[in-house]
Amino acid sequence: MTDDPATWWDEAYEGDPPWENGRPQPALVDLVEAGALDGRILDAGCGAGTHACYLAARGRSVVGVDVSERAVERARLTARERDLDATFRVGDALDLDPDLGPFDAAFDCGLFHALDPVQRDAYAHSLAGVLPAGGRAYVLSFAERAPADWGPNRVAGADVREAFADGWRVRDLREVRFETNDTDVPGSLAVLRRV
Ligand SMILES: C[S@@+](CC[C@H](N)C(=O)[O-])C[C@H]1O[C@@H](n2cnc3c(N)ncnc32)[C@H](O)[C@@H]1O
């Protein structure tokens, strides 16, 4: 075990991490079927590219960013094999290059809830740098009601409101199903709009 987060995440991708099941989260599928997340999309903390590739296969132009080189290699391979409009960068979502943007929307499955709570403001600020006014961020996390004995941080509505207080409006906060390799847990989907 290492203290360096990037190395820790990279080591997780030596095998099959528990969040990686190759299937898009049902909450994302519902959003896409409802016509959301259109245009140029950022997948923040994209991992092995499951969600980025799902979106690209449905006509979106996607950029995935992840701190793990191994995850990004896997994501690139999948996109290449499927001939998808998805590109991937090794990078820190807390310090996104503004030149990566502008995006129409950002999707985050499991990054916000994995961050140390003290990093949340920096993350919201970094996302704001690549999403112009009107852009939306969709943040999918373990909900407060998720079992507390394993996994990442639980995310309450108040956590989202606090982190995205500056430069964002919370459009929606709803409970959804969050699939993991082991079991389904209560998830929280936050929809945020840049102002
Ligand atoms: C729980 S995994 C979710 C991966 C992917 N979104 C999915 O749903 O399969 C969290 C991901 O966030 C990445 N990550 C953690 N901290 C990060 C940071 N500061 N910047 C970019 N990616 C980060 C990890 O490498 C990991 O791939």
Side-chain angles (χ1 to χ4, degrees), residues 9 13 19-20 45-47 51 65-68 91-94 109-111:
W9 286 108
Y13 285 98
W19 55 86
E20 182 48 54
C46 61
H51 297 109
V65 174
D66 200 284
V67 79
S68 160
D92 185 354
L94 306 182
C109 173
L111 172 56

Side-chain angles (χ1 to χ4, degrees), residues 127 131 134-139 160-161 164 168-172 190-194:
L127 279 185
L131 280 173
R136 294 192 180 210
Y138 298 81
V139 178
V160 172
R161 290 184 194 285
F164 290 88
W168 298 88
R169 292 280 178 280
V170 179
R171 299 292 302 181
D172 192 20
V191 183
L192 305 140
R193 186 171 63 85
R194 274 284 282 134

Side-chain angles (χ1 to χ4, degrees), residues 97-158:
D97 178 353
D99 289 342
L100 264 189
F103 293 99
D104 297 297
F107 179 67
D108 163 348
C109 173
L111 172 56
F112 184 80
H113 76 184
L115 295 175
D116 185 314
V118 301
Q119 297 176 308
R120 290 173 177 166
D121 288 1
Y123 176 51
H125 183 73
S126 174
L127 279 185
V130 294
L131 280 173
R136 294 192 180 210
Y138 298 81
V139 178
L140 180 58
S141 311
F142 276 24
E144 248 185 324
R145 264 185 348 99
D149 52 338
W150 62 278
N153 295 311
R154 276 63 192 143
V155 172

Side-chain angles (χ1 to χ4, degrees), residues 74-96:
R74 280 200 203 180
R76 284 183 178 142
L77 185 64
T78 305
R80 208 164 39 241
E81 283 173 353
R82 299 187 196 164
D83 195 21
L84 294 171
D85 180 10
T87 57
F88 297 93
R89 294 271 190 105
V90 178
D92 185 354
L94 306 182
D95 187 21
L96 290 166

